[in-house]
Each structure stands twice: as C-alpha cells, then as structure tokens.
Amino acid sequence: MENTLGDFLRSRRARILPEEVGLPSHGRRRVQGLRREEVAQLAGVSVDYYVRLEQGRGGSASDAVLDAVARVLRLDAVEAAHLRSLVRPSRAPAAGTTGRGRARQQVRPGTRLLLDLMTGVPAFVLGRRMDVLAWNALGDAVNGFSTRTGGGSAAGGGAGGPDGPPNQARHAFLDPAARDHYRQWDAVAAETVSYLRRDAGLHPEDPALSTLVGELSVRSEEFRRLWADHCVREKTHGVKLVRHPLVGDLDFGYETLGVNGSPDQLLVVYTAPVGSPTAQKLALLASWTASGAASEASGVS
C-alpha cells in the first residue's frame, strides 16, 4: 500500500546534507541525507514519534510538531501546506466530480465572457487535475486546445480524451507534439508533475486523479521519475517558451489568477511586452483568428 506521507518525508530529508544542519558527516551512512533519528532530534520529538509519522500514523500530530519538522526539512510554504494535507487528509468528495469520479467542472458564464473580452492575450481556465475548461481565441491559436482529441470550440471546452476536456498533464507527457511545442519541455514537465502532486495532496480521495496518475505512470517513464521525486509547487507565474508552426518562437510570461467563487479554477494568461517580437506575432495571430484562418491553419497542441 502506498505511503505518500512517508515517501514525501523521506524524499525531503534525503536532500539535506548533515553538515547543512550542523551534524557531523563523517562515517558510513546507509541513507542519503538525514537519518530519521536526526530529524527527530532536530525537531524535538522522540524517534518513535517521528517513525510513526513517516509510517503514516501521525494523524494527531500538532501544528507545533509539523512546524518543527517543516523547519528541519527546510520545507517552503507550499511544501509545508502539502505536509499538513498528507497528515490530515480531506475525506470530502473531490470538487468537480460525481460519485463515480467523472469530471463535472463548470465555468461561470461571466468567466467565459471575460475570456472572450481578452482579445489581445492568450488565456484559458485551468481546473482540477490540470483540465483545460475554457479558453479564448488567442489561447486556442497558441495552444491548439480545440484540435486535441475530441475537438471543441474556443471558450467552450473540448476534449483531451474520448469523454473529457483537454488535459495539460496528459498532453505534456503523452502527446509527441508537446516536445516541439514547449521549447523548455523539461521545465514544463517538472512544473506539471509538481502541480499534480499538490492537487493529489489536497484531494486524496479523487478517483479521477488517481486514474490520471496511473495512466501517466504506465505510459511515461519521465512522469514516473518525476512523480517519485515528490516535488510540490503552486502554479503562480513564470515563463513559457513556445514554438508555433505558423509564427515561430514565442516568448511568454504567464500569470495565474484564482477565480473567485470557483476555488479549484485558475485563470492563466500569457503575456508579452508591448512592441516585443512576441507581441507582434500575437497581433498577427489575432488578425488571422478574427478572419477564421488561424483555427484552420494551426495544428499545434
């Protein structure tokens, strides 16, 4: 049986060298990084208590203990929140699912209208499990959401499988075109897995997410390797370097904004400085999109 909490804690202590926390590093060590007894000592808890925590039997751990363990393991804010989610997992049904775990995520009409009004930038709504729930015309022209398996329409959904919306994780790891589309595919892959790890910690009882992770693990060696690292990250902002088949290289920044009233949805917006080569190419794509040419010519995904 998988012990996600134990695997996460072991992966975090394995990355810390003893000398980094003032412990001697000489002598033969059977484990990489800190030993369990060393973490317990530095956190001020008994070895038995910490061992039980790694075994997934620390459900009664206090905030003070978890804060101490997070400090010793040098967890950032997202990792510390992930630790709490693993220790005290939510048992509520995952948002965006029915009793059978099928996707049922809805984008408000006002959010769809906002996407349509954002005519100068690519934008889309990301939901649970990295499903793309809606997009605007430029978002489709850059990312080709409507051309993925199952079809779809701008700001209207589409499918990444026979019965679901386009999924960014499935696209990144299972679509060969993704390695050409993302000029920094390795960075995109790592970011994708880290975001899914966080989602899994927040929604441990989500069967649809478990199915997705299982599919990706079976079909992608790269996904299996990254999933085993137990890295967790929020999707906030960054850089996205794209290679478009019609206009060439596009250098985007991106900003991710929460959708008020829809806590499991994020509005992702690609940005480019005014007058930059990317902005000029976006204007060209926008003119083609307005004439209907981009939707026919773009086969990107």
Side-chain angles (χ1 to χ4, degrees), residues 119-182:
T119 57
V121 292
F124 56 93
V125 174
L126 197 66
R128 288 289 325 286
R129 313 167 204 95
M130 301 197 75
D131 285 346
V132 183
L133 305 181
W135 53 81
N136 66 4
L138 263 184
D140 194 29
V142 169
N143 291 297
F145 297 126
S146 63
T147 68
R148 300 186 192 175
T149 304
S153 59
D163 57 359
N167 181 271
Q168 291 293 75
R170 186 176 285 112
H171 166 61
F173 287 96
L174 303 184
D175 187 347
R179 294 177 184 267
D180 293 326
H181 181 60
Y182 298 117

Side-chain angles (χ1 to χ4, degrees), residues 217-235:
S217 297
V218 168
R219 299 179 61 185
S220 171
E221 180 180 353
E222 293 94 337
F223 180 87
R224 288 196 302 274
R225 174 179 57 80
L226 290 168
W227 189 253
D229 288 341
H230 287 267
C231 292
V232 290
R233 291 289 182 271
E234 287 183 316
K235 189 175 182 65

Side-chain angles (χ1 to χ4, degrees), residues 171-253:
H171 166 61
F173 287 96
L174 303 184
D175 187 347
R179 294 177 184 267
D180 293 326
H181 181 60
Y182 298 117
R183 287 152 49 206
Q184 292 182 327
W185 181 87
D186 288 345
V188 171
E191 175 188 86
T192 297
V193 174
S194 296
Y195 184 76
L196 275 185
R197 263 294 179 194
R198 178 177 178 273
D199 198 17
L202 292 172
H203 304 281
E205 300 297 321
D206 182 359
L209 179 57
S210 297
T211 298
L212 174 64
V213 170
E215 176 191 1
L216 295 173
S217 297
V218 168
R219 299 179 61 185
S220 171
E221 180 180 353
E222 293 94 337
F223 180 87
R224 288 196 302 274
R225 174 179 57 80
L226 290 168
W227 189 253
D229 288 341
H230 287 267
C231 292
V232 290
R233 291 289 182 271
E234 287 183 316
K235 189 175 182 65
T236 54
H237 63 278
V239 174
K240 197 75 71 176
L241 305 182
V242 170
R243 180 171 293 112
H244 193 278
L246 299 180
V247 296
D249 289 352
L250 298 168
D251 297 355
F252 293 114

Side-chain angles (χ1 to χ4, degrees), residues 96-111:
T97 63
T98 66
R100 296 182 179 181
R102 296 179 62 85
R104 190 181 62 189
Q105 303 181 79
Q106 302 295 325
V107 177
R108 294 198 310 267
T111 304

